[in-house]
Amino acid sequence: MKIVSKEIKRDGSQSIIYLIDENGNPLKGEIVSEGEKSELINNLLSEHFTPEDWVNNKNNLLNNVEEIKYEEYINQ
């Protein structure tokens, strides 16, 4: 699984946060403000990644979070 954060406003004040399964299908999506973004990402990480992922992961779990900036989003 991974989490995708996609800015939907040019100033970065609003994003869509998706939880994506192993096949690339979105399981959950939510539009959030800039201030709510980190909290939602942290909640998704704690809900959908097991304690073993946290303990056994040699890399930071934030490697499972993909950030898409507004300019990338409109040029897709």
Side-chain angles (χ1 to χ4, degrees):
M1 283 216 234
K2 77 176 183 176
I3 298 167
V4 175
S5 169
K6 186 183 295 186
E7 287 181 355
I8 57 174
K9 290 210 172 176
R10 185 177 299 277
D11 63 1
S13 65
Q14 205 169 46
S15 299
I16 299 176
I17 309 297
Y18 295 102
L19 178 66
I20 308 290
D21 70 10
E22 301 82 23
N23 298 318
N25 300 315
L27 301 173
K28 189 187 272 193
E30 191 170 330
I31 296 174
V32 296
S33 69
E34 184 178 13
E36 300 167 320
K37 180 176 149 181
S38 292
E39 182 178 346
L40 179 58
I41 289 172
N42 287 335
N43 288 340
L44 289 171
L45 285 170
S46 66
E47 287 176 31
H48 297 282
F49 291 85
T50 66
E52 291 80 24
D53 292 331
W54 291 88
V55 172
N56 296 328
N57 195 341
K58 303 279 188 234
N59 300 316
N60 188 336
L61 279 182
L62 290 178
N63 290 334
N64 296 311
V65 179
E66 179 182 348
E67 299 252 359
I68 300 173
K69 298 293 182 191
Y70 180 80
E71 294 302 321
E72 296 173 76
Y73 166 64
I74 62 169
N75 291 324
Q76 287 184 349

